[in-house]
Amino acid sequence: MKRQNHLFKQRCACIRFHREYLFPRFWYCDKMTTTEIPAELIKQFQQWKVKRDINRAFVMKINPEKYVVEFEEEHEDLDDIEDLVAELPDSTPRFIVYTTKIIAKEGMFERENFPMVFLFWKPPSNITTNTLYSSTRNRLVTALEMMKVFDVDEPEQLTHKWLMSKLQKK
């Protein structure tokens, strides 16, 4: 019986060694990233989101040479989200934070809301670019502390009616 226990312990140690040798723990590290989200970008976004009285957009992109998320442009006083869609690139993904005015009726009173949504604009493009943006999306959403996140696959999909239907569900 002692001999069997000894052999069993040796076999377990051998299996444990091979598992650690073949599949080191660092391979499973979820801290591995391809892009950097600079603290300056987060600070700039936090200053931008304070003002919520008009339809606005904060557009970000990934610099493919440096693998860094960068601020691209800000759109102020948009009439509707279709105005923003017209200015977005047709073949390159973007990260967009958009605020829009919604008037909520509560009995006799009306209240203005400016919900903030994170839109992942991903038109058809090459696989490498889409993978780079997709791998960064969740970390950026977490860093910006966004709650309402939507993916937009086709430019025709992003309309005011579509956005309002999504906001009603959340």
Side-chain angles (χ1 to χ4, degrees):
M1 186 72 172
K2 286 185 179 184
R3 174 96 173 126
Q4 288 177 342
N5 280 344
H6 179 67
L7 291 174
F8 180 75
K9 287 180 182 178
Q10 281 183 334
R11 186 177 304 137
C12 288
C14 183
I15 291 170
R16 194 175 308 120
F17 168 76
H18 286 293
R19 187 179 64 215
E20 288 294 319
Y21 177 74
L22 294 174
F23 306 106
R25 291 176 197 255
F26 66 85
W27 285 5
Y28 301 110
C29 180
D30 56 7
K31 300 286 185 193
M32 293 175 61
T33 60
T34 53
T35 57
E36 178 187 350
I37 302 170
E40 299 86 32
L41 177 74
I42 296 169
K43 188 174 182 178
Q44 182 180 5
F45 172 74
Q46 289 171 343
Q47 291 171 350
W48 176 86
K49 77 176 186 178
V50 171
K51 183 180 174 186
R52 286 194 185 183
D53 58 351
I54 55 175
N55 294 350
R56 327 172 32 186
F58 187 88
V59 182
M60 297 162 279
K61 67 177 184 174
I62 295 177
N63 183 333
E65 287 89 35
K66 298 178 183 177
Y67 293 104
V68 175
V69 178
E70 297 177 340
F71 170 75
E72 183 177 26
E73 60 185 330
E74 178 180 345
H75 297 274
E76 294 270 338
D77 202 18
L78 295 166
D79 289 332
D80 210 342
I81 197 159
E82 284 88 2
D83 297 340
L84 176 64
V85 171
E87 296 187 27
L88 291 172
D90 293 334
S91 62
T92 310
R94 291 290 185 265
F95 301 117
I96 305 161
V97 178
Y98 180 74
T99 60
T100 186
K101 180 179 179 179
I102 296 178
I103 298 176
K105 294 182 180 180
E106 296 176 356
M108 297 173 32
F109 303 103
E110 290 185 351
R111 185 178 57 147
E112 289 182 350
N113 288 334
F114 289 89
M116 189 175 294
V117 296
F118 183 92
L119 301 169
F120 177 31
W121 173 261
K122 53 177 183 173
S125 64
N126 68 16
I127 295 173
T128 308
T129 305
N130 278 345
T131 304
L132 182 65
Y133 274 82
S134 295
S135 67
T136 307
R137 185 195 124 191
N138 290 341
R139 290 187 315 106
L140 186 59
V141 166
T142 304
L144 299 179
E145 300 174 351
M146 297 299 301
M147 300 300 286
K148 299 172 183 165
V149 181
F150 306 113
D151 292 355
V152 181
D153 297 326
E154 300 171 10
E156 298 83 27
Q157 178 183 1
L158 189 55
T159 62
H160 181 74
K161 184 178 179 180
W162 176 83
L163 185 61
M164 291 302 121
S165 70
K166 292 290 188 177
L167 289 174
Q168 297 300 325
K169 290 179 186 177
K170 290 254 175 181

mmCIF file of all heavy atoms in Angstrom, residues 34-58:
data_model
loop_
_atom_site.group_PDB
_atom_site.id
_atom_site.type_symbol
_atom_site.label_atom_id
_atom_site.label_comp_id
_atom_site.label_asym_id
_atom_site.label_seq_id
_atom_site.Cartn_x
_atom_site.Cartn_y
_atom_site.Cartn_z
ATOM 1 N N THR A 34 -2.472 44.547 -26.423
ATOM 2 C CA THR A 34 -1.795 44.964 -27.639
ATOM 3 C C THR A 34 -1.745 46.475 -27.742
ATOM 4 O O THR A 34 -0.855 47.015 -28.368
ATOM 5 C CB THR A 34 -2.514 44.403 -28.875
ATOM 6 O OG1 THR A 34 -3.894 44.761 -28.801
ATOM 7 C CG2 THR A 34 -2.369 42.906 -28.955
ATOM 8 N N THR A 35 -2.704 47.146 -27.136
ATOM 9 C CA THR A 35 -2.754 48.604 -27.226
ATOM 10 C C THR A 35 -2.706 49.237 -25.839
ATOM 11 O O THR A 35 -3.074 48.627 -24.853
ATOM 12 C CB THR A 35 -4.036 49.071 -27.925
ATOM 13 O OG1 THR A 35 -5.146 48.541 -27.216
ATOM 14 C CG2 THR A 35 -4.076 48.623 -29.356
ATOM 15 N N GLU A 36 -2.280 50.475 -25.834
ATOM 16 C CA GLU A 36 -2.184 51.230 -24.589
ATOM 17 C C GLU A 36 -3.298 52.274 -24.556
ATOM 18 O O GLU A 36 -3.622 52.885 -25.578
ATOM 19 C CB GLU A 36 -0.823 51.924 -24.524
ATOM 20 C CG GLU A 36 -0.633 52.784 -23.302
ATOM 21 C CD GLU A 36 0.659 53.581 -23.355
ATOM 22 O OE1 GLU A 36 1.490 53.325 -24.237
ATOM 23 O OE2 GLU A 36 0.807 54.482 -22.520
ATOM 24 N N ILE A 37 -3.876 52.467 -23.386
ATOM 25 C CA ILE A 37 -4.867 53.519 -23.185
ATOM 26 C C ILE A 37 -4.223 54.551 -22.264
ATOM 27 O O ILE A 37 -4.101 54.324 -21.060
ATOM 28 C CB ILE A 37 -6.160 52.968 -22.558
ATOM 29 C CG1 ILE A 37 -6.740 51.873 -23.453
ATOM 30 C CG2 ILE A 37 -7.162 54.090 -22.331
ATOM 31 C CD1 ILE A 37 -7.874 51.102 -22.842
ATOM 32 N N PRO A 38 -3.770 55.676 -22.798
ATOM 33 C CA PRO A 38 -3.038 56.644 -21.985
ATOM 34 C C PRO A 38 -3.920 57.329 -20.946
ATOM 35 O O PRO A 38 -5.113 57.553 -21.167
ATOM 36 C CB PRO A 38 -2.515 57.665 -22.994
ATOM 37 C CG PRO A 38 -2.991 57.260 -24.319
ATOM 38 C CD PRO A 38 -3.856 56.060 -24.191
ATOM 39 N N ALA A 39 -3.317 57.658 -19.835
ATOM 40 C CA ALA A 39 -4.030 58.364 -18.764
ATOM 41 C C ALA A 39 -4.487 59.740 -19.232
ATOM 42 O O ALA A 39 -5.526 60.239 -18.776
ATOM 43 C CB ALA A 39 -3.130 58.483 -17.538
ATOM 44 N N GLU A 40 -3.735 60.359 -20.143
ATOM 45 C CA GLU A 40 -4.120 61.678 -20.660
ATOM 46 C C GLU A 40 -5.448 61.605 -21.411
ATOM 47 O O GLU A 40 -6.259 62.527 -21.351
ATOM 48 C CB GLU A 40 -3.044 62.249 -21.598
ATOM 49 C CG GLU A 40 -1.696 62.463 -20.949
ATOM 50 C CD GLU A 40 -0.826 61.212 -20.972
ATOM 51 O OE1 GLU A 40 -0.922 60.402 -21.928
ATOM 52 O OE2 GLU A 40 -0.058 61.027 -20.027
ATOM 53 N N LEU A 41 -5.671 60.512 -22.141
ATOM 54 C CA LEU A 41 -6.918 60.334 -22.876
ATOM 55 C C LEU A 41 -8.086 60.217 -21.905
ATOM 56 O O LEU A 41 -9.134 60.830 -22.108
ATOM 57 C CB LEU A 41 -6.844 59.097 -23.768
ATOM 58 C CG LEU A 41 -8.129 58.766 -24.527
ATOM 59 C CD1 LEU A 41 -8.332 59.744 -25.672
ATOM 60 C CD2 LEU A 41 -8.099 57.349 -25.034
ATOM 61 N N ILE A 42 -7.911 59.455 -20.843
ATOM 62 C CA ILE A 42 -8.975 59.276 -19.853
ATOM 63 C C ILE A 42 -9.273 60.604 -19.167
ATOM 64 O O ILE A 42 -10.432 60.965 -18.969
ATOM 65 C CB ILE A 42 -8.588 58.184 -18.842
ATOM 66 C CG1 ILE A 42 -8.476 56.849 -19.577
ATOM 67 C CG2 ILE A 42 -9.590 58.101 -17.709
ATOM 68 C CD1 ILE A 42 -7.858 55.746 -18.777
ATOM 69 N N LYS A 43 -8.239 61.358 -18.848
ATOM 70 C CA LYS A 43 -8.428 62.672 -18.217
ATOM 71 C C LYS A 43 -9.154 63.625 -19.163
ATOM 72 O O LYS A 43 -10.064 64.352 -18.750
ATOM 73 C CB LYS A 43 -7.075 63.243 -17.811
ATOM 74 C CG LYS A 43 -7.162 64.489 -16.992
ATOM 75 C CD LYS A 43 -5.791 64.916 -16.510
ATOM 76 C CE LYS A 43 -5.907 66.150 -15.645
ATOM 77 N NZ LYS A 43 -4.606 66.565 -15.135
ATOM 78 N N GLN A 44 -8.762 63.621 -20.432
ATOM 79 C CA GLN A 44 -9.414 64.470 -21.435
ATOM 80 C C GLN A 44 -10.885 64.086 -21.571
ATOM 81 O O GLN A 44 -11.759 64.951 -21.669
ATOM 82 C CB GLN A 44 -8.697 64.327 -22.777
ATOM 83 C CG GLN A 44 -9.247 65.190 -23.873
ATOM 84 C CD GLN A 44 -8.501 65.002 -25.187
ATOM 85 O OE1 GLN A 44 -7.614 64.153 -25.308
ATOM 86 N NE2 GLN A 44 -8.850 65.787 -26.181
ATOM 87 N N PHE A 45 -11.188 62.789 -21.550
ATOM 88 C CA PHE A 45 -12.573 62.330 -21.655
ATOM 89 C C PHE A 45 -13.376 62.757 -20.432
ATOM 90 O O PHE A 45 -14.516 63.192 -20.558
ATOM 91 C CB PHE A 45 -12.626 60.806 -21.818
ATOM 92 C CG PHE A 45 -14.015 60.261 -21.727
ATOM 93 C CD1 PHE A 45 -14.896 60.432 -22.781
ATOM 94 C CD2 PHE A 45 -14.448 59.606 -20.592
ATOM 95 C CE1 PHE A 45 -16.196 59.951 -22.702
ATOM 96 C CE2 PHE A 45 -15.731 59.119 -20.504
ATOM 97 C CZ PHE A 45 -16.614 59.289 -21.561
ATOM 98 N N GLN A 46 -12.800 62.642 -19.253
ATOM 99 C CA GLN A 46 -13.511 63.028 -18.040
ATOM 100 C C GLN A 46 -13.851 64.517 -18.042
ATOM 101 O O GLN A 46 -14.910 64.918 -17.563
ATOM 102 C CB GLN A 46 -12.698 62.649 -16.803
ATOM 103 C CG GLN A 46 -12.663 61.154 -16.575
ATOM 104 C CD GLN A 46 -11.691 60.737 -15.488
ATOM 105 O OE1 GLN A 46 -10.816 61.489 -15.099
ATOM 106 N NE2 GLN A 46 -11.851 59.509 -15.026
ATOM 107 N N GLN A 47 -12.972 65.339 -18.575
ATOM 108 C CA GLN A 47 -13.262 66.767 -18.695
ATOM 109 C C GLN A 47 -14.347 67.007 -19.742
ATOM 110 O O GLN A 47 -15.188 67.883 -19.584
ATOM 111 C CB GLN A 47 -11.996 67.539 -19.063
ATOM 112 C CG GLN A 47 -10.983 67.562 -17.947
ATOM 113 C CD GLN A 47 -9.637 68.129 -18.386
ATOM 114 O OE1 GLN A 47 -9.389 68.336 -19.564
ATOM 115 N NE2 GLN A 47 -8.762 68.363 -17.417
ATOM 116 N N TRP A 48 -14.337 66.223 -20.811
ATOM 117 C CA TRP A 48 -15.329 66.370 -21.876
ATOM 118 C C TRP A 48 -16.724 65.985 -21.402
ATOM 119 O O TRP A 48 -17.701 66.638 -21.744
ATOM 120 C CB TRP A 48 -14.927 65.499 -23.069
ATOM 121 C CG TRP A 48 -15.922 65.500 -24.181
ATOM 122 C CD1 TRP A 48 -16.018 66.397 -25.197
ATOM 123 C CD2 TRP A 48 -16.970 64.552 -24.388
ATOM 124 N NE1 TRP A 48 -17.056 66.068 -26.026
ATOM 125 C CE2 TRP A 48 -17.660 64.933 -25.553
ATOM 126 C CE3 TRP A 48 -17.402 63.409 -23.707
ATOM 127 C CZ2 TRP A 48 -18.747 64.228 -26.057
ATOM 128 C CZ3 TRP A 48 -18.477 62.712 -24.204
ATOM 129 C CH2 TRP A 48 -19.138 63.111 -25.353
ATOM 130 N N LYS A 49 -16.848 64.936 -20.607
ATOM 131 C CA LYS A 49 -18.168 64.416 -20.256
ATOM 132 C C LYS A 49 -18.915 65.263 -19.227
ATOM 133 O O LYS A 49 -20.096 65.067 -19.013
ATOM 134 C CB LYS A 49 -18.075 62.967 -19.792
ATOM 135 C CG LYS A 49 -17.560 62.757 -18.400
ATOM 136 C CD LYS A 49 -17.615 61.278 -18.060
ATOM 137 C CE LYS A 49 -17.242 61.031 -16.635
ATOM 138 N NZ LYS A 49 -17.344 59.617 -16.289
ATOM 139 N N VAL A 50 -18.250 66.239 -18.630
ATOM 140 C CA VAL A 50 -18.905 67.099 -17.637
ATOM 141 C C VAL A 50 -20.024 67.923 -18.283
ATOM 142 O O VAL A 50 -21.087 68.090 -17.711
ATOM 143 C CB VAL A 50 -17.866 68.023 -16.952
ATOM 144 C CG1 VAL A 50 -18.535 69.055 -16.092
ATOM 145 C CG2 VAL A 50 -16.894 67.191 -16.140
ATOM 146 N N LYS A 51 -19.791 68.402 -19.482
ATOM 147 C CA LYS A 51 -20.762 69.234 -20.183
ATOM 148 C C LYS A 51 -21.760 68.343 -20.909
ATOM 149 O O LYS A 51 -21.409 67.643 -21.840
ATOM 150 C CB LYS A 51 -20.031 70.134 -21.183
ATOM 151 C CG LYS A 51 -20.921 71.096 -21.910
ATOM 152 C CD LYS A 51 -20.104 71.941 -22.859
ATOM 153 C CE LYS A 51 -21.008 72.807 -23.695
ATOM 154 N NZ LYS A 51 -20.267 73.532 -24.717
ATOM 155 N N ARG A 52 -23.012 68.385 -20.457
ATOM 156 C CA ARG A 52 -24.056 67.550 -21.075
ATOM 157 C C ARG A 52 -25.289 68.388 -21.388
ATOM 158 O O ARG A 52 -26.348 68.179 -20.828
ATOM 159 C CB ARG A 52 -24.459 66.424 -20.135
ATOM 160 C CG ARG A 52 -23.467 65.318 -20.018
ATOM 161 C CD ARG A 52 -24.132 64.154 -19.356
ATOM 162 N NE ARG A 52 -23.195 63.082 -19.110
ATOM 163 C CZ ARG A 52 -23.539 61.932 -18.582
ATOM 164 N NH1 ARG A 52 -24.769 61.715 -18.237
ATOM 165 N NH2 ARG A 52 -22.648 61.000 -18.391
ATOM 166 N N ASP A 53 -25.175 69.330 -22.290
ATOM 167 C CA ASP A 53 -26.342 70.137 -22.617
ATOM 168 C C ASP A 53 -26.658 70.184 -24.110
ATOM 169 O O ASP A 53 -27.618 70.799 -24.516
ATOM 170 C CB ASP A 53 -26.190 71.548 -22.063
ATOM 171 C CG ASP A 53 -24.949 72.247 -22.583
ATOM 172 O OD1 ASP A 53 -24.121 71.580 -23.226
ATOM 173 O OD2 ASP A 53 -24.813 73.456 -22.348
ATOM 174 N N ILE A 54 -25.850 69.508 -24.929
ATOM 175 C CA ILE A 54 -26.085 69.441 -26.368
ATOM 176 C C ILE A 54 -25.711 68.046 -26.864
ATOM 177 O O ILE A 54 -25.057 67.283 -26.157
ATOM 178 C CB ILE A 54 -25.256 70.508 -27.134
ATOM 179 C CG1 ILE A 54 -23.761 70.378 -26.801
ATOM 180 C CG2 ILE A 54 -25.753 71.901 -26.861
ATOM 181 C CD1 ILE A 54 -22.864 71.291 -27.591
ATOM 182 N N ASN A 55 -26.132 67.737 -28.093
ATOM 183 C CA ASN A 55 -25.714 66.476 -28.720
ATOM 184 C C ASN A 55 -24.248 66.594 -29.103
ATOM 185 O O ASN A 55 -23.868 67.503 -29.834
ATOM 186 C CB ASN A 55 -26.552 66.183 -29.961
ATOM 187 C CG ASN A 55 -27.991 65.917 -29.641
ATOM 188 O OD1 ASN A 55 -28.379 65.762 -28.500
ATOM 189 N ND2 ASN A 55 -28.821 65.868 -30.671
ATOM 190 N N ARG A 56 -23.436 65.679 -28.604
ATOM 191 C CA ARG A 56 -21.992 65.750 -28.839
ATOM 192 C C ARG A 56 -21.423 64.361 -29.040
ATOM 193 O O ARG A 56 -22.019 63.373 -28.650
ATOM 194 C CB ARG A 56 -21.266 66.363 -27.640
ATOM 195 C CG ARG A 56 -21.986 67.370 -26.901
ATOM 196 C CD ARG A 56 -21.344 67.824 -25.631
ATOM 197 N NE ARG A 56 -19.908 67.813 -25.656
ATOM 198 C CZ ARG A 56 -19.159 68.063 -24.624
ATOM 199 N NH1 ARG A 56 -19.696 68.332 -23.487
ATOM 200 N NH2 ARG A 56 -17.867 68.039 -24.700
ATOM 201 N N ALA A 57 -20.205 64.327 -29.587
ATOM 202 C CA ALA A 57 -19.513 63.053 -29.796
ATOM 203 C C ALA A 57 -18.026 63.232 -29.529
ATOM 204 O O ALA A 57 -17.439 64.257 -29.857
ATOM 205 C CB ALA A 57 -19.732 62.544 -31.207
ATOM 206 N N PHE A 58 -17.431 62.212 -28.912
ATOM 207 C CA PHE A 58 -16.004 62.140 -28.607
ATOM 208 C C PHE A 58 -15.485 60.928 -29.362
ATOM 209 O O PHE A 58 -15.840 59.799 -29.033
ATOM 210 C CB PHE A 58 -15.841 61.975 -27.082
ATOM 211 C CG PHE A 58 -14.441 62.045 -26.570
ATOM 212 C CD1 PHE A 58 -13.883 63.262 -26.229
ATOM 213 C CD2 PHE A 58 -13.690 60.899 -26.390
ATOM 214 C CE1 PHE A 58 -12.598 63.335 -25.719
ATOM 215 C CE2 PHE A 58 -12.407 60.960 -25.881
ATOM 216 C CZ PHE A 58 -11.857 62.188 -25.541
#
